[in-house]
Amino acid sequence: MEEKKFDFNSFIGMLLLGGILLWWMNSNKPAVEEEQTETTQTEQTVAKETSTPVLTDNTIANDSLKQIALQNQLGAFAYGAAKTNEGDTTIENELVKLIVSNKGGQIKEALIKNYKTYDSLPLHIVKDKNASFNITFGTTDNRILNTKDLLFNPELTKNGENTILSMKLKVSKTKFLEYRYEIKPNDYRIGFTVRSQGLSNVINTGQQINLTWDLQALRKEKSMRTENMYSYYYYKEDGDVEYLQMKDDEVASNIDWIAYKQHFFSAVLSTETPFNDAKLKSVDYLGEDQDSVFTKTYSLNTPLALQNGELNYNMEWFYGPTEYNLLKTYKGTDLAEISDLGWGIFGFLNKTVFYPVFNFLKGFIGNYGLIIILMTIVTRIILSPVLYKSYLSSAKMKVIRPEMEEINKKYPGNENAMKRQQEIMAVQRKAGVNMMSGCIPALLQMPVFFALFKFFPTNIDFRQKAFLWANDLSSYDIVAKLPFEIPFYGDHISLFPILASIAIFFYMRMNQSQQSAMQAPPQEGMPDMSKMMKYMIYFSPIMMLFFFNNYASGLSLYYFISNLLTITIMLVIKNYVIDEAKIHAQIEENKKKPVKKSKFRERLDAAMKQAQEQQEAQKRATKNRKK
């Protein structure tokens, strides 16, 4: 019988089969675990579904508590507050962008699109809570509410090309206080309506309803001093445009519009139903802080009238440039008056002469520095006949001056003052010389001087327009920055005022020689005006240098060019137009002609003769007393 041997390979095979069996048995266990997991997830889902009603109950409870709290705080207006959240709505066109807040229903941000600040930032009139529009009213359940604290419900719609934003402070679906904004394409004006519906039993008609509009004017220009100088509170009362002085307040009625004007930009609120008993206030900024964010603070507080227990005011906002050419297109508003072109004849010259000339020139010239130079040339040419008359008078006075000096020698002393004056006036009459003919030309030029003094600094077209080294013709130019500040001068050096001061110095030197020729020889007991004029030659340019260093470079450019042209015209008149020999011959001819006296001259001569006789009588009486 064959002995069986141990088979190692079979043993290994059995082990492998046993391992495979164990793996197979273990690989079937996860099916049970999956079933258990599914069961667990199902139980958790059921648990969640079961717990949901509990969370909903808590929410309802919280909402109920919130509603009760709002009801206690706001009364009937709790309805709208519970259905509205804080948020903003943007409405805009090509010129202006407004962001209106649900809280207060008021303009939160007003951006003027096509302009920048002096430091190249977006130009905002309203930003960072610098403005507040609020209506304060009482309710029939004895509450005092402010709309600035309440939530309005926004609704944005379209009406053709116009965008309409309705902000409603609701009492119910059909009862509300509404602010309605309507913005049109390419217009700085925004329609604005304040009206109520169904609130006659909610608003307490026995208490005064007040509208307040406050604005802290944001700084926009390089020169804080200049911007503040041209910032005013304007308003139209009883058909006339008025303004508040700096740090002033006023109570006014029958107001059609309120304008918070800065140097070049304004915020205006117009109303079809005039404001009455309105309290207006303007507060100047404090100090000359170059880092200040604000310039002025403006304020309006006015009561609103109810019609049949409801509010109904059709108003209009304007956020935009204070541009004369733009504002004069708003017919019947008189808003162009806030452009600050000067009063009386100065404003008349700007409106009827300088703006038409400027508008014509800018139609085909893009360089505003050249426009100023051309306007100056036109002005000097127009005034050259006046300058000629002045120089002709001085030439005549120069010819008869030796005769007047002879009269002074013939009648010396104070006792002969009257006789001396009569003889001098007789010589002037015979020569056909009028002392006033030298003063009148200077007086005629004064309105032009003061009109342009307003025109260049207030014209927004010059704002941020560069010429030569000046990067902004509406502000001062800088060629050097000083490490310290000189009182009344500033912390910088402007070149245009220096050039203008040099030009005015040479002009005054020429003018002084002309004026000294026109003046009669100094008489005894009278001040020598020629000495005072010599001091003015040096004093005036220095004053101009200090004053214009912080002023518009466009204005300094005008005075520089104007004085250069005046000097040139005077030299031409002196050397090529006026012939002193001919003037002398003409004066000799005038002396031969009989002098016709006017009635005024006859009365004046009679009065002087009477005064002379009284003086002689007093002298005789004095001599008799001494005897």
Side-chain angles (χ1 to χ4, degrees):
M1 183 174 184
E2 186 177 355
E3 184 180 1
K4 292 184 177 181
K5 295 182 180 180
F6 176 74
D7 190 348
F8 183 77
N9 292 329
S10 298
F11 177 76
I12 295 299
M14 291 178 65
L15 287 176
L16 289 173
L17 286 173
I20 291 170
L21 180 62
L22 289 172
W23 172 82
W24 179 80
M25 292 175 64
N26 288 327
S27 65
N28 285 319
K29 287 184 179 180
V32 179
E33 290 178 358
E34 284 181 10
E35 185 178 354
Q36 290 176 347
T37 303
E38 289 176 3
T39 304
T40 303
Q41 288 177 348
T42 304
E43 290 174 352
Q44 289 176 350
T45 303
V46 173
K48 284 182 180 179
E49 291 176 352
T50 307
S51 63
T52 300
V54 177
L55 291 174
T56 303
D57 289 341
N58 290 336
T59 302
I60 292 172
N62 290 336
D63 286 345
S64 299
L65 291 173
K66 181 181 178 182
Q67 186 68 31
I68 292 170
L70 288 173
Q71 186 71 36
N72 291 334
Q73 182 183 0
L74 305 177
F77 289 93
Y79 172 86
K83 297 180 179 296
T84 308
N85 297 318
E86 291 195 27
D88 301 323
T89 305
T90 300
I91 54 175
E92 61 184 315
N93 58 19
E94 297 82 358
L95 303 176
V96 64
K97 176 182 177 181
L98 302 180
I99 297 178
V100 183
S101 174
N102 291 355
K103 188 173 183 180
Q106 61 181 316
I107 295 171
K108 177 182 178 181
E109 200 170 297
L111 171 71
I112 310 303
K113 286 189 173 182
N114 299 323
Y115 295 91
K116 299 289 184 181
T117 63
Y118 73 99
D119 47 358
S120 301
L121 295 175
L123 196 147
H124 289 87
I125 292 181
V126 178
K127 186 186 178 186
D128 297 333
K129 299 182 180 179
N130 71 313
S132 174
F133 182 87
N134 179 55
I135 295 178
T136 303
F137 60 93
T139 63
T140 52
D141 53 359
N142 297 321
R143 289 178 172 83
I144 301 296
L145 299 179
N146 293 287
T147 57
K148 66 179 182 180
D149 300 325
L150 305 178
L151 291 173
F152 285 67
N153 186 6
E155 182 181 351
L156 198 62
T157 57
K158 280 280 190 179
N159 181 15
E161 293 184 336
N162 299 353
T163 301
I164 298 172
L165 174 61
S166 172
M167 306 291 291
K168 290 181 180 178
L169 185 61
K170 293 184 176 181
V171 170
S172 68
K173 289 183 178 180
T174 58
K175 297 180 180 181
F176 50 80
L177 172 66
E178 181 186 27
Y179 293 170
R180 185 178 184 273
Y181 300 87
E182 183 170 1
I183 189 167
K184 307 171 186 176
N186 286 300
D187 201 338
Y188 289 104
R189 295 171 296 178
I190 300 98
F192 181 59
T193 301
V194 175
R195 73 180 187 97
S196 64
Q197 178 176 302
L199 299 187
S200 57
N201 295 325
V202 178
I203 295 177
N204 187 346
T205 58
Q207 289 182 325
Q208 186 169 276
I209 301 172
N210 283 324
L211 181 153
T212 57
W213 177 36
D214 301 323
L215 177 72
Q216 283 185 290
L218 293 165
R219 178 184 176 184
K220 299 172 180 64
E221 310 304 328
K222 179 168 63 175
S223 174
M224 189 78 165
R225 183 185 303 170
T226 303
E227 183 173 9
N228 192 64
M229 185 189 305
Y230 290 105
S231 297
Y232 279 96
Y233 192 130
Y234 283 90
Y235 58 100
K236 186 177 180 181
E237 179 187 23
D238 292 322
D240 296 324
V241 178
E242 309 285 351
Y243 67 93
L244 296 182
Q245 298 287 349
M246 290 185 286
K247 300 182 181 178
D248 200 2
D249 58 82
E250 186 66 77
V251 176
S253 292
N254 201 25
I255 294 177
D256 294 327
W257 50 256
I258 298 288
Y260 296 165
K261 176 190 177 291
Q262 292 181 258
H263 191 172
F264 291 119
F265 300 92
S266 296
V268 182
L269 178 62
S270 306
T271 175
E272 290 183 7
T273 304
F275 297 140
N276 290 302
D277 298 321
K279 297 177 183 178
L280 320 176
K281 189 173 184 180
S282 173
V283 179
D284 204 359
Y285 78 110
L286 300 176
E288 298 286 345
D289 185 5
Q290 295 298 316
D291 297 324
S292 178
V293 176
F294 304 108
T295 55
K296 286 179 178 286
T297 299
Y298 301 104
S299 178
L300 164 69
N301 188 323
T302 183
L304 298 180
L306 293 171
Q307 298 176 11
N308 299 321
E310 303 287 352
L311 285 172
N312 189 13
Y313 277 80
N314 292 321
M315 296 188 275
E316 187 176 77
W317 291 107
F318 170 86
Y319 290 103
T322 313
E323 181 183 357
Y324 174 74
N325 288 327
L326 168 69
L327 297 178
K328 73 178 181 179
T329 63
Y330 300 160
K331 303 296 183 183
T333 64
D334 291 326
L335 274 174
E337 295 296 319
I338 72 175
S339 301
D340 196 14
L341 299 182
W343 55 272
I345 190 172
F346 313 127
F348 175 79
L349 284 173
N350 279 326
K351 293 172 186 176
T352 59
V353 179
F354 296 119
Y355 255 104
V357 172
F358 170 77
N359 291 335
F360 171 75
L361 291 174
K362 79 172 185 177
F364 58 90
I365 298 176
N367 189 305
Y368 284 82
L370 292 179
I371 291 176
I372 291 175
I373 293 172
L374 288 174
M375 285 187 68
T376 308
I377 293 172
V378 171
T379 304
R380 286 291 94 194
I381 290 174
I382 293 172
L383 292 175
S384 58
V386 176
L387 191 62
Y388 169 76
K389 284 284 186 183
S390 177
Y391 217 96
L392 182 61
S393 296
S394 69
K396 288 181 178 180
M397 287 294 293
K398 184 178 180 181
V399 170
I400 65 172
R401 188 179 177 85
E403 293 183 52
M404 293 190 292
E405 288 177 346
E406 286 297 323
I407 292 171
N408 279 345
K409 293 176 182 178
K410 186 177 179 181
Y411 300 100
N414 291 332
E415 65 276 7
N416 295 317
M418 194 68 68
K419 179 67 175 176
R420 186 169 58 241
Q421 187 64 28
Q422 280 182 316
E423 292 293 326
I424 287 173
M425 291 176 68
V427 170
Q428 291 173 350
R429 255 195 330 271
K430 288 178 182 179
V433 176
N434 187 351
M435 286 295 292
M436 291 300 295
S437 63
C439 301
I440 291 174
L443 291 174
L444 289 175
Q445 294 183 70
M446 291 301 288
V448 174
F449 176 89
F450 284 111
L452 291 173
F453 186 81
K454 281 286 189 180
F455 178 82
F456 289 113
T458 60
N459 190 334
I460 194 172
D461 285 296
F462 294 113
R463 184 179 184 268
Q464 296 181 355
K465 298 299 190 302
F467 181 68
L468 299 178
W469 56 85
N471 57 15
D472 186 350
L473 287 169
S474 72
S475 188
Y476 53 81
D477 62 290
I478 300 177
V479 293
K481 193 76 174 176
L482 300 175
F484 50 86
E485 184 168 346
I486 301 174
F488 306 107
Y489 183 75
D491 60 353
H492 64 275
I493 297 174
S494 299
L495 185 53
F496 275 129
I498 294 174
L499 295 175
S501 298
I502 293 171
I504 200 172
F505 171 77
F506 286 104
Y507 163 71
M508 291 191 72
R509 283 193 64 176
M510 290 184 65
N511 195 52
Q512 193 268 341
S513 62
Q514 176 189 345
Q515 293 296 326
S516 61
M518 288 185 63
Q519 292 172 3
Q523 301 180 27
E524 293 183 32
M526 299 295 290
D528 189 353
M529 297 301 294
S530 61
K531 289 184 178 179
M532 295 181 64
M533 286 297 296
K534 287 179 181 177
Y535 292 125
M536 290 299 294
I537 289 175
Y538 299 98
F539 182 71
S540 294
I542 293 173
M543 286 294 295
M544 185 172 188
L545 180 64
F546 272 75
F547 183 78
F548 283 91
N549 193 62
N550 292 288
Y551 228 69
S553 55
L555 187 63
S556 299
L557 172 62
Y558 162 74
Y559 287 135
F560 170 56
I561 301 298
S562 179
N563 286 316
L564 282 182
L565 289 172
T566 304
I567 292 170
T568 304
I569 293 171
M570 288 173 68
L571 289 172
V572 171
I573 292 173
K574 179 181 179 181
N575 296 316
Y576 300 101
V577 178
I578 290 181
D579 188 338
E580 291 187 6
K582 288 183 179 180
I583 292 172
H584 189 271
Q586 183 63 47
I587 288 174
E588 293 300 321
E589 286 293 323
N590 291 340
K591 288 180 180 179
K592 296 174 184 178
K593 297 176 184 178
V595 179
K596 251 188 177 181
K597 289 186 180 181
S598 64
K599 290 184 179 180
F600 174 76
R601 173 59 64 182
E602 289 176 355
R603 288 195 297 270
L604 182 61
D605 288 347
M608 292 183 70
K609 185 177 180 181
Q610 185 180 0
Q612 185 179 359
E613 289 174 353
Q614 289 176 354
Q615 189 178 20
E616 290 177 355
Q618 288 175 356
K619 288 179 185 177
R620 288 194 297 269
T622 303
K623 287 181 180 179
N624 291 333
R625 282 196 301 270
K626 287 181 179 179
K627 290 178 180 180

